[in-house]
Amino acid sequence: MAKDSLFEERNLIKIYDIASKKTVDILPEGVNFSYADGDQNFVWSADSKYVLAQSSEGNALGRSQVVLIKADGSKGRVNLTQSGFDNGNPQFGMGDKMMYWVNDKQALET
């Protein structure tokens, strides 16, 4: 299934199914906050079934978390980091068997 994706208003992620011409908001309005163009990040899995994204949902300090989202929007967002530290630049690796990201913990205890 051919899909395209985009950021809208610098913080929403929408998936557009080219065949059905339908759009699904997988990171809807009010979940994320963006300070400037380019400060948000997401990446597709190789099979196009999942998206890894930054999200500030549920974090009052505005720290980005990394969430795994099913691209068809059928399941909720799964917060993979669940920390008070800033996490970003999520990536898939090893043929989608691994997910990794950077964070600003800098060896601090939690």
Side-chain angles (χ1 to χ4, degrees), residues 62-107:
R63 301 282 190 211
S64 290
Q65 303 299 300
V66 173
V67 294
L68 180 66
I69 311 166
K70 193 156 183 178
D72 65 6
S74 65
K75 306 221 179 195
R77 294 171 295 283
V78 178
N79 183 336
L80 301 176
T81 49
Q82 299 185 22
S83 76
F85 295 95
D86 206 19
N87 301 275
N89 196 26
Q91 301 291 318
F92 284 99
M94 298 179 62
D96 291 347
K97 294 180 183 175
M98 175 178 78
M99 295 166 273
Y100 60 98
W101 52 86
V102 296
N103 90 8
D104 70 352
K105 188 173 180 181
Q106 300 175 355

Side-chain angles (χ1 to χ4, degrees), residues 10-106:
R10 292 195 326 220
N11 59 10
L12 288 78
I13 299 178
K14 294 186 173 210
I15 305 297
Y16 178 71
D17 186 316
I18 295 169
S20 70
K21 296 182 172 41
K22 292 184 181 179
T23 301
V24 176
D25 295 352
I26 62 169
L27 202 61
E29 185 175 1
V31 171
N32 241 6
F33 181 77
S34 171
Y35 288 103
D37 287 343
D39 69 347
Q40 299 298 307
N41 203 316
F42 72 93
V43 64
W44 284 91
S45 62
D47 63 6
S48 298
K49 291 183 180 180
Y50 293 91
V51 171
L52 275 176
Q54 288 177 220
S55 172
S56 52
E57 180 176 19
N59 194 322
L61 299 174
R63 301 282 190 211
S64 290
Q65 303 299 300
V66 173
V67 294
L68 180 66
I69 311 166
K70 193 156 183 178
D72 65 6
S74 65
K75 306 221 179 195
R77 294 171 295 283
V78 178
N79 183 336
L80 301 176
T81 49
Q82 299 185 22
S83 76
F85 295 95
D86 206 19
N87 301 275
N89 196 26
Q91 301 291 318
F92 284 99
M94 298 179 62
D96 291 347
K97 294 180 183 175
M98 175 178 78
M99 295 166 273
Y100 60 98
W101 52 86
V102 296
N103 90 8
D104 70 352
K105 188 173 180 181
Q106 300 175 355

